[in-house]
Amino acid sequence: MKRRTLGSIASHPAVIVGSMVLAVVLGIFAKPFALALAPLGDLYVDLLEMTVVPILFSIVALSIMKLMIAPNVRRYAMRMAGVVPAIFVLMTAVSGFVAIVVKPGAHIDPNARASLGIAVSDRIERTEIALDTPPSPRPSEAEQIVTALVPQNVFSALTSGDALKIVFFAVILGAALGVLYGAHYHVVYEFIEEVYHAFYQILAWVIALLPLGLLCIIASQTARIDDRVFIAMWVFVAAFVVIAGLLCGGAIAAIAAIGRVSFLQAAAAMRPAFLLAFFTRNSFASIPIAVSALHDLGFEDDASELMVPFAVSFCRFANAAYFTLAALFAAQLYGLPLDFGTVLAIAALAIVAGIASAGTMGIASLLPLGLVMRNAGLPFDAVLVLFIAIDPVIDPFRSMLQIAAGAAAGAGVAGSRDTVAAAAPIEPWRGAPVQ
Amino acid sequence: MLLAFLGALYTAPLPHDIAAISSRRVLRVAMLDRDDAPYYWRDSSGVLRGSDVDIARDLGRALAVRVQFDRSARTVDDVIARVAAGRDDLAISKLSVTLNRARRIVFSNPYATIHQALLLDRVAYESIARGRRLWDVLHDYRGTLGTIEDSAYGTYALRNFPGATVVRYASWDPLLSALERGTVVAAYADEPDIEAQLRLAPALTLSLRLVVLTDRQDRIAIGVASDSPALLALVNEYIAERTQR
């Protein structure tokens, strides 16, 4: 039921595309009205984001629990250990290759540089410093990682929306519950599962309003767009569209190969998930559709139900690809030499930063890029302003790529139902003992 | 007889420094011969404008004399020297107060206070910072620092960045080129000046970063000859009233 509601919207892209076109027209030709729609657009984004924390938490906790109680835990874990790094490496490799070939940062003429400079100076914060007042001492790198990861108070972490802490808590709780799962410990598992389903129902209701919501968001964003920045960075945007296209195509090909179906079949099955992620700029929303698409293609259910949510929320493949492109763009923009070692270092840092952006959405997911750039000796503050400015166009592609990569990861771990001897499925607790 | 006596009391003689200006009927103001908006500049029709120009004219009105702008000075030292030697009455030229200059003339109270600031080349900064925080890098700064030759910033650099290697440039053009080439990592000047440069060439913001030093002030004051106490008092009174407005 919920699948159909989400899927039916996404499988009528005509309505959505129509509202997007109307929104762009309004944004260009009816600016005051479009700007007035901004609060409604913000409201819609808030409604979408409202579902993120409960879904993120329950998805990760459930995935870990399933992993712990699944009879073939070992096989899943080993496959995951192979699939996840492989996908990360492929993401950064393709992205790096395109970045080096296309050189988006090297073709910025003086006029475009001036536009970018104006855009940066309009938006960047002044740096103020008091020479006589030392700032509070900074904790060591190790301390910083621990502070970022481990919540002091799990409930305040949940309310703060700090994605990394929520994910960490969910992993730990899922592991504990998975270990305890048995005759006496199953209520919380079912509770979390029901929370998961409930919030997906809420999400389905919100997505029913997608045409209206998109109209408001896109109209106000178009009215506010600084077209100079886009014009100056069009090569960069185009490069990422190409990267996303190549990698999404690769994901579909991988799914087709593993599931032993044709490319077109796989593409048709995955299309609703891709479109929904693209239009909502939210990869979470598409997870159930992606899982059911894999089911339709004949993949093993338990593994895909376990792997896809975890991969999409935790393994930020799309961000790793984007960070690679962004860092190489900045290196070209600032005229820094790019030898093989530097590119490799940037790719590795992009993978780490991709993991660090687990659970984040939208502009917040750009912040770990600073990790990549600072460690590569690249200035971050000015280009961050530019990346934020173009994010409304980049985010849909990033979200779509994330669901594609997550689905491919699920396919890689699951394997086809025909070829794998079905293991005992994970049953909701009904009094039967679990081996 | 009584009226004459009372009349005499009301026309008490002026202090000698102000009297000299009154009898001459002109207030001579030494001002550098360049353009430094918004303090002083010649507009497209050749008219002298700016806040320093307005101050000079206000003082002229206060003394009931006309104002003559002496633009013959090429450097700040020249401006100071002209006042010290008595060839001009006041030095009004966006002058920063420094101890060295205060040896030769007397400074009024500041009529403007601006922040000192740095303009960092972003890429060069990253390579010397090596992951340290901005404060840690600046606090014991040992890199290169570019200053404009005829400014107070060479002096300020000795005090605030004693470990730095200071390189002087004749004007902003060579200094900006040096920043771009990486010859110097940072430029040291006042905040409005740097902001004006960034407005002139917006593309620079991509590669150059403005850092404002909130606890380092550049005080701008009027220079008066050391033997003109009454004139100094008048100027200070004017400045007090001006800042109250």
Side-chain angles (χ1 to χ4, degrees), chain A residues 110 112-118 120-121 124-138 333-334 336 373-374 377-383 386, chain B residues 115-116 118 122-124 126-127 131-136 138-139 160-161 188 191 195 198 201-216:
Chain A
R113 278 194 95 102
S115 303
L116 294 178
I118 295 175
V120 171
S121 56
I124 204 164
E125 280 176 26
R126 266 156 64 97
T127 311
E128 289 184 354
I129 203 164
L131 280 182
D132 295 330
T133 314
S136 38
R138 187 170 63 168
L333 183 71
Y334 285 114
L336 284 170
M373 294 193 52
R374 276 187 214 109
L378 292 165
F380 182 50
D381 302 331
V383 289
L386 301 174
Chain B
H115 287 300
Q116 298 179 11
L118 295 166
R122 294 185 194 268
V123 175
E126 287 295 322
S127 60
R132 287 180 295 158
R133 280 179 312 181
L134 180 66
W135 192 87
D136 293 315
L138 292 181
H139 184 241
N160 294 318
F161 301 106
Y188 188 28
E191 182 192 347
E195 282 181 341
L198 292 177
L204 291 175
T205 317
L206 273 181
S207 38
L208 301 178
R209 178 185 182 192
L210 167 65
V211 176
V212 177
L213 304 175
T214 54
D215 56 358
R216 291 288 184 275

Side-chain angles (χ1 to χ4, degrees), chain A residues 256-267:
Chain A
I258 300 173
R260 300 180 195 219
V261 295
S262 77
F263 183 89
L264 286 173
Q265 264 181 293

Side-chain angles (χ1 to χ4, degrees), chain B residues 146-169:
Chain B
T147 60
I148 304 282
E149 208 152 37
D150 195 25
S151 73
Y153 281 83
T155 317
Y156 292 155
L158 292 173
R159 208 170 51 217
N160 294 318
F161 301 106
T165 310
V166 178
V167 185
R168 287 176 166 66
Y169 294 88

Side-chain angles (χ1 to χ4, degrees), chain B residues 75-87:
Chain B
T75 64
V76 169
D77 275 346
D78 277 352
V79 169
I80 306 245
R82 297 191 71 80
V83 170
R87 288 213 280 279

Side-chain angles (χ1 to χ4, degrees), chain B residues 7 29 44 90 93 96 103 114 117 151 166 168 215 220 229:
Chain B
V29 174
S44 42
L90 296 177
S93 198
S96 305
R103 282 186 311 160
I114 51 188
S151 73
V166 178
R168 287 176 166 66
D215 56 358
I220 309 295

